[in-house]
Amino acid sequence: MIVEDVLYGSYEVEEVLATLILSEEIQRLKDVHMAGPAFLINPTWNETRYEHSIGVMLLIKRFGGTIEEQIAGLLHDVSHTAFSHVIDLVLSNKTDDYHEQIKAKLIEDSAIPALLNQYGFDYRQILFDDEQWGLLEQKAPLLCFDRIDYTLREVYRYFSVPLQEIQYFLNSIKIIKNQIVLESVYWADWFIEQYRKVVIDFFYDPQNSCSYEWMSNAIQLGLANEEITLADLMMTDSAFLKKLKSTGSTEILQLLGNMDHPPEYRVCSSEDDYDIQQQKKIRFVDPLVTLPDKIVPVSTVSKTAQVKIDEMLNESKKGIFIKFD
């Protein structure tokens, strides 16, 4: 199978990967949006978990990762629920990892184990500990291809960062002792700035925050009234939204109606009489850079990087407050 990606180009992938890509579990991700319910307010925020999963797999392939790590990359988001992280707000799960909590059971109950066994792979060894894969997953603030892919994909699509610039950044990546290292301070500073666009300008866009508030409230009502179940969230976005609307609940329909006709709002401060307050998971990066004699976090050699990191952390901790007019 030839896989095409807007950022990374064309790659021929092994048969096991092709089989997994065509599976129902991966195909479902074509209708699970990275932006969650914000897609309903702004349809241009249309990146999907499918695109991201393919992208992570291809980055791992491009930089020499094993076939096992490529499989792990392709399947790392397979357990995301409809509208992605909205379930974490529904359940007040501040670690944003509900999809990780249910991943093992979802895989056990799926066709994935049999598909991998068909090609001689043990799904338990590959899929139940992503942290064993240094290219796929690293604890913040280090870079990993999960973090890199969604950042590059979103700044390209939503912030018009040129594709050529993204290619230059990719060419600056070196893999040293299974860690992602950048060859210059310039590109480390550059990536911190792109990451800030995603975690501050995009994640905290008022439309994003409002959509999460309305959808999470609608889901909470549906669960409380036993009109939907947590299992329903394993549908696609479209199918789950249809089921939520079919409940006929006036309150749920009113909340969902806000997506079609958002009320006027303004961003305010914590001292104001606000209607919505959100603080998302704290996210920041401090990429490793290679110097003539050592590898160090860029913040230790770049004042610019340290300032950007501090600003990102301060803005994340502050969160967002919204008042409807």
Side-chain angles (χ1 to χ4, degrees):
M1 174 188 280
I2 302 296
V3 176
E4 302 273 352
D5 184 82
V6 66
L7 296 182
Y8 314 129
S10 300
Y11 286 82
E12 184 173 0
V13 299
E14 286 80 353
E15 186 178 342
V16 61
L17 292 168
T19 301
L20 289 168
I21 289 169
L22 294 174
S23 70
E24 180 180 339
E25 289 78 11
I26 291 295
Q27 291 295 308
R28 181 184 74 91
L29 300 181
K30 288 182 174 179
D31 190 9
V32 177
H33 291 86
M34 295 283 286
F39 167 73
L40 299 175
I41 294 182
N42 187 340
T44 66
W45 291 344
N46 58 0
E47 178 193 1
T48 66
R49 291 281 163 191
Y50 176 83
E51 293 172 271
H52 171 57
S53 298
I54 294 291
V56 172
M57 175 194 73
L58 292 181
L59 280 177
I60 293 169
K61 182 179 184 67
R62 173 172 173 165
F63 287 93
T66 64
I67 183 65
E68 289 84 359
E69 190 161 6
Q70 292 173 54
I71 292 169
L74 176 64
L75 294 169
H76 81 285
D77 270 357
V78 72
S79 54
H80 261 288
T81 55
F83 297 111
S84 291
H85 284 292
V86 74
I87 187 61
D88 292 301
L89 189 57
V90 170
L91 301 177
S92 300
N93 179 34
K94 296 186 182 301
T95 52
D96 272 8
D97 65 350
Y98 180 78
H99 67 291
E100 295 290 349
Q101 296 173 25
I102 65 171
K103 184 178 178 180
K105 185 175 189 312
L106 179 135
I107 289 171
E108 294 278 9
D109 294 343
S110 75
I112 290 170
L115 289 177
L116 286 174
N117 183 61
Q118 176 185 337
Y119 292 95
F121 294 101
D122 184 338
Y123 72 96
R124 295 181 188 87
Q125 290 182 358
I126 296 175
L127 301 178
F128 288 175
D129 179 18
D130 283 348
E131 290 188 6
Q132 69 182 301
W133 307 117
L135 301 184
L136 167 61
E137 202 64 64
Q138 291 281 347
K139 291 188 182 297
L142 296 176
L143 296 189
C144 61
F145 285 136
D146 178 15
R147 214 163 277 133
I148 287 173
D149 179 79
Y150 71 70
T151 301
L152 297 182
R153 202 165 293 279
E154 289 168 11
V155 297
Y156 171 70
R157 186 169 297 181
Y158 307 147
F159 295 92
S160 302
V161 173
L163 186 57
Q164 185 178 42
E165 200 169 307
I166 288 171
Q167 296 305 321
Y168 287 149
F169 167 76
L170 291 173
N171 290 336
S172 79
I173 292 175
K174 308 297 178 189
I175 307 301
I176 301 175
K177 295 182 179 179
N178 210 33
Q179 286 192 312
I180 297 169
V181 181
L182 303 182
E183 66 179 11
S184 74
V185 169
Y186 173 85
W187 286 112
D189 284 347
W190 180 88
F191 189 80
I192 291 172
E193 179 58 28
Q194 308 317 310
Y195 197 67
R196 188 199 65 77
K197 291 175 185 175
V198 172
V199 301
I200 301 300
D201 298 340
F202 179 53
F203 289 175
Y204 278 113
D205 184 292
Q207 292 182 89
N208 209 322
S209 296
C210 287
S211 71
Y212 267 77
E213 188 78 8
W214 296 325
M215 181 61 78
S216 66
N217 287 343
I219 293 172
Q220 286 170 341
L221 282 169
L223 290 171
N225 297 335
E226 298 185 345
E227 295 166 311
I228 59 169
T229 67
L230 284 176
D232 292 332
L233 280 143
M234 296 318 301
M235 297 176 174
T236 63
D237 287 358
S238 300
F240 178 71
L241 181 62
K242 183 177 180 180
K243 174 141 193 178
L244 201 52
K245 288 181 175 179
S246 73
T247 64
S249 162
T250 302
E251 289 179 284
I252 288 175
L253 291 175
Q254 184 176 11
L255 285 163
L256 297 179
N258 288 333
M259 312 278 196
D260 298 322
H261 305 287
E264 295 293 322
Y265 61 82
R266 59 185 172 86
V267 177
C268 59
S269 72
S270 58
E271 283 100 43
D272 293 322
D273 181 24
Y274 56 85
D275 295 304
I276 290 178
Q277 185 274 326
Q278 281 184 19
Q279 183 182 34
K280 300 181 185 293
K281 178 181 175 181
I282 303 296
R283 300 172 189 262
F284 73 104
V285 290
D286 189 0
L288 297 176
V289 294
T290 179
L291 301 180
D293 58 342
K294 57 185 175 179
I295 295 172
V296 297
V298 69
S299 63
T300 64
V301 293
S302 168
K303 180 64 176 176
T304 300
Q306 186 60 66
V307 168
K308 288 179 180 178
I309 290 169
D310 289 343
E311 289 175 348
M312 195 186 314
L313 287 170
N314 288 335
E315 290 180 85
S316 293
K317 290 172 183 175
K318 183 174 64 176
I320 189 171
F321 298 84
I322 297 171
K323 175 69 178 175
F324 296 118
D325 294 330

